Amino acid sequence: MHLNVSQLMREPSGSTRHHSLDDTVVSSEGVDEIKIVADVKLMRTLRGVWISVKAGSDVRCTCARCLVEYLQPIRITIEEEALLSEDVAAGLIDFDEADEPPLIDENRELDLSDILHQYASIATPMQPICREDCKGLCELCGINLNEMKCECNTELRDPRWDVLREVVSVSES
Ligand SMILES: [Zn+2]
Ligand SMILES: [Zn+2]
Protein backbone atom coordinates (compact mmCIF):
# COMPACT_ATOMS: atom_id res chain seq x y z
CA MET A 1 0.00 0.00 0.00
CA HIS A 2 2.04 2.92 -1.37
CA LEU A 3 1.11 6.58 -1.23
CA ASN A 4 3.03 9.22 -3.13
CA VAL A 5 3.52 12.27 -0.93
CA SER A 6 5.81 14.34 -3.19
CA GLN A 7 3.20 17.04 -3.74
CA LEU A 8 2.30 17.16 -0.05
CA MET A 9 6.00 17.46 0.88
CA ARG A 10 6.19 20.69 -1.15
CA GLU A 11 3.32 22.25 0.78
CA PRO A 12 3.58 24.10 4.11
CA SER A 13 3.16 22.16 7.37
CA GLY A 14 -0.46 21.66 8.28
CA SER A 15 -1.47 20.77 4.69
CA THR A 16 -3.53 17.61 4.52
CA ARG A 17 -4.57 14.79 2.20
CA HIS A 18 -7.28 12.18 2.51
CA HIS A 19 -7.16 8.72 1.01
CA SER A 20 -9.76 5.96 1.10
CA LEU A 21 -8.11 2.64 0.58
CA ASP A 22 -9.56 -0.79 0.00
CA ASP A 23 -6.76 -3.15 -0.78
CA THR A 24 -4.93 -6.35 -0.07
CA VAL A 25 -1.78 -5.63 1.88
CA VAL A 26 1.29 -7.83 1.82
CA SER A 27 4.04 -7.32 4.41
CA SER A 28 7.62 -6.79 3.23
CA GLU A 29 8.40 -10.41 4.13
CA GLY A 30 5.66 -11.24 1.63
CA VAL A 31 4.10 -13.91 3.79
CA ASP A 32 0.77 -12.70 5.09
CA GLU A 33 -1.91 -11.06 3.04
CA ILE A 34 -4.64 -9.09 4.72
CA LYS A 35 -7.55 -7.18 3.24
CA ILE A 36 -7.73 -3.67 4.63
CA VAL A 37 -10.35 -0.98 4.28
CA ALA A 38 -8.79 2.24 5.52
CA ASP A 39 -9.42 5.91 5.89
CA VAL A 40 -6.03 7.63 5.78
CA LYS A 41 -5.36 11.24 6.67
CA LEU A 42 -1.91 12.67 6.01
CA MET A 43 -0.70 15.96 7.39
CA ARG A 44 2.55 17.68 6.49
CA THR A 45 4.70 18.28 9.57
CA LEU A 46 8.00 20.14 9.86
CA ARG A 47 9.91 16.84 9.72
CA GLY A 48 7.72 14.69 7.49
CA VAL A 49 4.12 13.54 7.39
CA TRP A 50 1.76 12.73 10.22
CA ILE A 51 -0.25 9.57 9.46
CA SER A 52 -3.72 9.09 10.97
CA VAL A 53 -5.35 5.82 9.96
CA LYS A 54 -8.68 4.29 10.87
CA ALA A 55 -8.92 0.86 9.33
CA GLY A 56 -10.80 -2.38 9.50
CA SER A 57 -9.85 -5.86 8.46
CA ASP A 58 -10.87 -9.49 8.77
CA VAL A 59 -7.94 -11.62 9.80
CA ARG A 60 -7.84 -15.39 9.52
CA CYS A 61 -7.75 -16.90 13.00
CA THR A 62 -7.95 -20.39 14.48
CA CYS A 63 -10.42 -20.58 17.36
CA ALA A 64 -8.61 -21.47 20.60
CA ARG A 65 -11.59 -23.58 21.71
CA CYS A 66 -12.85 -25.48 18.66
CA LEU A 67 -9.75 -25.11 16.41
CA VAL A 68 -11.89 -24.05 13.45
CA GLU A 69 -10.55 -21.30 11.14
CA TYR A 70 -12.69 -18.19 10.94
CA LEU A 71 -12.43 -14.52 10.03
CA GLN A 72 -11.99 -12.22 12.99
CA PRO A 73 -12.97 -8.58 12.41
CA ILE A 74 -10.42 -6.14 13.84
CA ARG A 75 -10.18 -2.36 14.08
CA ILE A 76 -6.90 -0.51 13.64
CA THR A 77 -6.02 3.03 14.66
CA ILE A 78 -2.62 4.46 13.75
CA GLU A 79 -1.18 7.80 14.82
CA GLU A 80 2.47 8.08 13.77
CA GLU A 81 4.86 10.50 12.14
CA ALA A 82 6.61 9.30 9.00
CA LEU A 83 10.08 10.74 8.43
CA LEU A 84 12.17 11.21 5.32
CA SER A 85 14.53 8.27 4.95
CA GLU A 86 17.38 10.48 3.70
CA ASP A 87 17.05 12.81 6.72
CA VAL A 88 17.12 9.83 9.06
CA ALA A 89 20.13 8.32 7.25
CA ALA A 90 21.98 11.66 7.41
CA GLY A 91 21.22 12.00 11.12
CA LEU A 92 19.36 15.27 10.54
CA ILE A 93 16.36 14.22 12.59
CA ASP A 94 16.38 13.66 16.30
CA PHE A 95 14.22 10.67 17.23
CA ASP A 96 14.27 7.64 19.45
CA GLU A 97 15.86 4.75 17.53
CA ALA A 98 13.56 2.30 19.30
CA ASP A 99 10.53 3.95 17.72
CA GLU A 100 11.46 2.85 14.21
CA PRO A 101 9.35 5.50 12.47
CA PRO A 102 7.68 4.78 9.13
CA LEU A 103 9.86 6.18 6.35
CA ILE A 104 9.24 8.17 3.20
CA ASP A 105 11.71 6.98 0.57
CA GLU A 106 13.76 9.06 -1.90
CA ASN A 107 10.89 8.91 -4.45
CA ARG A 108 8.58 10.41 -1.82
CA GLU A 109 6.69 7.16 -1.55
CA LEU A 110 5.20 6.21 1.78
CA ASP A 111 4.67 2.47 2.15
CA LEU A 112 2.01 1.68 4.74
CA SER A 113 2.11 -2.10 4.28
CA ASP A 114 4.40 -2.99 7.16
CA ILE A 115 2.87 -0.58 9.65
CA LEU A 116 -0.62 -1.88 8.80
CA HIS A 117 0.57 -5.45 9.30
CA GLN A 118 2.23 -4.53 12.57
CA TYR A 119 -0.92 -2.87 13.95
CA ALA A 120 -3.13 -5.67 12.62
CA SER A 121 -1.12 -8.25 14.49
CA ILE A 122 -1.36 -6.19 17.69
CA ALA A 123 -5.15 -5.94 17.22
CA THR A 124 -5.53 -9.68 16.68
CA PRO A 125 -6.53 -11.46 19.90
CA MET A 126 -3.95 -13.85 21.41
CA GLN A 127 -6.71 -16.35 22.25
CA PRO A 128 -9.16 -15.91 19.40
CA ILE A 129 -12.65 -17.30 19.97
CA CYS A 130 -14.85 -17.86 16.89
CA ARG A 131 -17.93 -16.74 18.78
CA GLU A 132 -18.75 -15.81 22.36
CA ASP A 133 -20.67 -19.03 23.08
CA CYS A 134 -18.30 -21.43 21.28
CA LYS A 135 -18.66 -24.80 23.01
CA GLY A 136 -15.22 -26.03 21.91
CA LEU A 137 -14.16 -29.63 21.46
CA CYS A 138 -15.16 -32.52 23.71
CA GLU A 139 -12.03 -33.21 25.74
CA LEU A 140 -12.68 -36.96 25.60
CA CYS A 141 -13.77 -37.76 22.04
CA GLY A 142 -12.64 -34.54 20.34
CA ILE A 143 -15.80 -33.77 18.37
CA ASN A 144 -16.75 -30.17 17.74
CA LEU A 145 -19.55 -29.53 20.24
CA ASN A 146 -20.83 -26.62 18.14
CA GLU A 147 -21.77 -29.09 15.44
CA MET A 148 -22.95 -32.14 17.36
CA LYS A 149 -23.40 -33.64 20.77
CA CYS A 150 -21.58 -36.63 22.15
CA GLU A 151 -22.36 -39.12 24.89
CA CYS A 152 -19.22 -38.46 26.91
CA ASN A 153 -19.66 -37.54 30.54
CA THR A 154 -16.99 -34.87 30.70
CA GLU A 155 -18.28 -33.32 33.87
CA LEU A 156 -17.37 -36.40 35.96
CA ARG A 157 -14.01 -36.96 34.28
CA ASP A 158 -12.76 -33.38 34.43
CA PRO A 159 -9.88 -33.52 36.96
CA ARG A 160 -10.56 -29.95 38.05
CA TRP A 161 -13.89 -31.13 39.45
CA ASP A 162 -12.16 -33.99 41.31
CA VAL A 163 -10.13 -31.50 43.29
CA LEU A 164 -13.26 -29.53 44.08
CA ARG A 165 -15.14 -32.69 45.05
CA GLU A 166 -12.35 -33.64 47.46
CA VAL A 167 -12.45 -30.22 49.05
CA VAL A 168 -16.21 -30.49 49.47
CA SER A 169 -16.09 -34.02 50.92
CA VAL A 170 -13.27 -33.10 53.33
CA SER A 171 -15.18 -30.11 54.60
CA GLU A 172 -18.37 -32.13 54.92
CA SER A 173 -16.80 -34.99 56.98
ZN1 LIG B 1 -14.76 -21.92 18.27
ZN1 LIG C 1 -17.26 -36.55 23.62
Side-chain angles (χ1 to χ4, degrees):
M1 204 173 259
H2 290 262
L3 296 174
N4 190 293
V5 295
S6 53
Q7 188 56 44
L8 183 60
M9 291 302 291
R10 280 187 224 114
E11 294 174 19
S13 55
S15 305
T16 57
R17 286 286 185 287
H18 272 96
H19 299 271
S20 293
L21 306 172
D22 184 346
D23 210 350
T24 301
V25 182
V26 185
S27 66
S28 55
E29 292 111 46
V31 275
D32 289 331
E33 268 192 10
I34 45 173
K35 263 206 74 69
I36 298 245
V37 177
D39 185 49
V40 180
K41 188 180 161 200
L42 303 176
M43 188 180 75
R44 175 77 163 106
T45 62
L46 287 173
R47 311 191 302 175
V49 170
W50 190 270
I51 312 168
S52 301
V53 179
K54 293 211 184 308
S57 180
D58 289 321
V59 291
R60 196 161 285 286
C61 283
T62 302
C63 176
R65 285 187 201 158
C66 68
L67 309 180
V68 165
E69 273 205 355
Y70 72 101
L71 290 174
Q72 166 81 45
I74 55 166
R75 306 287 316 160
I76 300 166
T77 306
I78 301 174
E79 293 289 340
E80 293 224 28
E81 187 179 25
L83 304 175
L84 285 168
S85 57
E86 65 248 41
D87 287 355
V88 170
L92 294 174
I93 294 179
D94 198 23
F95 70 99
D96 189 350
E97 296 276 347
D99 282 348
E100 289 189 57
L103 297 177
I104 300 162
D105 71 15
E106 60 279 6
N107 300 319
R108 299 295 183 263
E109 291 272 345
L110 174 60
D111 185 359
L112 294 176
S113 309
D114 278 350
I115 194 170
L116 283 167
H117 265 269
Q118 196 185 325
Y119 276 77
S121 90
I122 294 168
T124 304
M126 299 276 277
Q127 295 272 332
I129 305 293
C130 66
R131 58 183 210 226
E132 194 95 9
D133 63 345
C134 171
K135 297 188 185 75
L137 302 178
C138 169
E139 57 193 272
L140 293 179
C141 71
I143 71 160
N144 185 341
L145 296 171
N146 297 315
E147 289 162 6
M148 49 186 132
K149 275 188 175 154
C150 63
E151 300 300 314
C152 306
N153 196 342
T154 49
E155 211 188 325
L156 286 177
R157 298 273 203 95
D158 190 330
R160 284 168 298 181
W161 290 111
D162 290 348
V163 174
L164 206 70
R165 236 172 256 116
E166 268 166 41
V167 172
V168 172
S169 61
V170 165
S171 61
E172 276 173 355
S173 59

